[in-house]
Amino acid sequence: MDFRKLVFIGYCIFLSTFAFSQNDSIQEVTQKYDTLYRVNYANKMICKLNIDSDINNLYIRNVKEKSENKFIPNEIFKLRFSFDYRFLGLTVSFSPSFFPGNNDNAIKGNTLILDLGFKFFYSDRLRQEIIYKNVQGYYLVDPDNDALIEAFAQMKVNTYGGKTFFIVNRNFSYRAYESQTERQMKSVGSFIPSIYYAYNTLETNADNSSKLFIDKIYSYDVIVQAGYMYNLVLDKKWFATAGLHPGIGYNHSKNFYLNNQSSQELEKNSQGVNINIDANLALGFNNSNFFSGFKANYRNFNYINELNTEFISSRIGFDFFIGYRFKESKPIKKVFQKIEKQLDRLPI
């Protein structure tokens, strides 16, 4: 296994172990905020199904030559399953071929997508997210009209990342927006500063072609955002959420350029500023057990570096979700309680 992957997995294990050992009980959590604002469902087993279009397009610009390569994965929708219970939150996403727009492989090539997510709270307001994303199979398009130029079935993008953020207002429920493990009972907003960190790899795995000027990009990002979100309670069961998260960060990239006249690669390092913004909108129904809703998300990353290449990832995603909060199973509850007792003994 690649050393970087081992480091990432070890980091995830460390964070999750620390989080579990520091995890608050349900009773302790409810004492830290006004219960007129939030209702917690940590004693429920929550299952959720999402259909979303959260798929990134890639833009690789050659600033010096004023040209651009735009790549689009041949998938439109993803199916995501999530499970939340007590301290544990897991998500798995993939792109099934039976969705409309996901089944034209003969023309645009096959795209394989896998997303894994692990999310938890160190405390009631300090949240940690860990993500792994793998996308293989893109097609190159004309940046002006998205007309197909060439399919690159072996082109691969991997992201190993995480995000840590703090919810300033203890009465604001981020859980009500993100995972529906809570309900927001009164309208309230919160300032949410955060730090995002990721290691990205892009490998074209293409033959020496005049249509591409880049072969590989390995990049590290650290981004600080100053976000604000607001939960609007329309009545006891309907809610709306809006959020804006501008940020600035540092990027270090190692770029490998193709030489169309020979089989040699040219390697250059770059570093610079990352200007970015995230925006969130949501509208949903949230009953005591059943919940459903719709989300829209926008994200734009612009890299301004000292070399001739800019690597930009942007998306507008839409998400429909439906879920149910089940009564906890006594055998499963006992298993989780035993795990929590063992984790509490750890010297962390």
Side-chain angles (χ1 to χ4, degrees), residues 85-86 328-341:
Y85 177 61
R86 300 180 76 88
E328 61 184 346
S329 166
K330 290 184 178 179
I332 295 178
K333 179 181 178 179
K334 290 180 180 179
V335 171
F336 272 73
Q337 287 176 336
K338 289 180 180 179
I339 295 174
E340 288 173 332
K341 287 181 180 179

Side-chain angles (χ1 to χ4, degrees), residues 58-314:
L58 301 176
Y59 302 82
I60 304 176
R61 293 176 180 168
N62 189 321
V63 179
K64 184 177 180 180
E65 299 181 5
K66 297 183 180 180
S67 62
E68 178 180 79
N69 286 157
K70 179 180 179 181
F71 297 93
I72 299 177
N74 186 24
E75 302 292 350
I76 297 177
F77 298 105
K78 289 189 302 184
L79 195 63
R80 182 168 75 248
F81 297 95
S82 63
F83 173 81
D84 289 272
Y85 177 61
R86 300 180 76 88
F87 58 75
L88 181 65
L90 298 173
T91 62
V92 178
S93 302
F94 63 98
S95 51
S97 58
F98 57 79
F99 279 163
N102 288 6
N103 51 12
D104 53 354
N105 297 341
I107 300 174
K108 299 178 180 178
N110 186 34
T111 294
L112 301 176
I113 297 177
L114 175 65
D115 289 1
L116 301 176
F118 190 57
K119 305 175 182 181
F120 48 85
F121 281 83
Y122 293 110
S123 66
D124 183 48
R125 293 185 288 163
L126 183 61
R127 180 177 170 88
Q128 177 67 52
E129 297 180 352
I130 297 172
I131 60 169
Y132 168 71
K133 294 185 179 182
N134 174 272
V135 182
Q136 178 175 324
Y138 286 80
Y139 61 98
L140 178 65
V141 299
D142 187 314
D144 296 324
N145 55 24
D146 284 353
L148 174 65
I149 297 177
E150 183 178 353
F152 292 89
Q154 300 304 315
M155 182 175 176
K156 184 184 299 184
V157 176
N158 283 300
T159 299
Y160 310 86
K163 185 176 184 179
T164 307
F165 55 91
F166 182 73
I167 302 164
V168 175
N169 188 341
R170 63 179 70 251
N171 290 326
F172 175 83
S173 176
Y174 185 83
R175 295 173 173 92
Y177 162 77
E178 171 65 21
S179 57
Q180 288 74 49
T181 57
E182 287 189 350
R183 289 172 66 191
Q184 188 80 65
M185 306 306 293
K186 287 187 176 183
S187 300
V188 67
S190 179
F191 178 59
I192 306 178
S194 65
I195 180 169
Y196 169 84
Y197 29 89
Y199 172 66
N200 300 282
T201 68
L202 182 151
E203 299 177 349
T204 63
N205 296 312
D207 296 331
N208 207 8
S209 169
S210 60
K211 296 174 183 177
L212 291 178
F213 59 86
I214 196 77
D215 183 29
K216 295 188 288 283
I217 299 177
Y218 301 143
S219 69
Y220 299 87
D221 288 286
V222 179
I223 298 168
V224 177
Q225 290 186 322
Y228 183 85
M229 297 187 71
Y230 190 86
N231 282 340
L232 176 64
V233 179
L234 301 176
D235 62 25
K236 291 183 178 181
K237 297 180 180 180
W238 288 90
F239 72 92
T241 301
L244 188 65
H245 312 267
I248 188 169
Y250 170 79
N251 168 262
H252 178 83
S253 297
K254 182 179 291 186
N255 307 300
F256 298 86
Y257 296 88
L258 291 171
N259 186 337
N260 295 321
Q261 306 302 320
S262 68
S263 58
Q264 296 181 345
E265 281 187 328
L266 175 64
E267 177 183 338
K268 288 188 177 182
N269 293 324
S270 68
Q271 56 186 351
V273 176
N274 178 327
I275 305 297
N276 58 86
I277 188 168
D278 291 356
N280 322 104
L281 288 173
L283 177 66
F285 175 84
N286 201 351
N287 203 346
S288 57
N289 289 320
F290 174 79
F291 57 88
S292 181
F294 174 83
K295 295 180 181 179
N297 302 287
Y298 171 77
R299 173 173 294 173
N300 183 272
F301 282 10
N302 270 292
Y303 297 93
I304 305 172
N305 57 47
E306 61 191 20
L307 291 180
N308 295 329
T309 302
E310 292 181 350
F311 174 57
I312 300 172
S313 175
S314 67

Side-chain angles (χ1 to χ4, degrees), residues 1 42 273 318:
M1 181 179 288
V273 176
F318 301 95

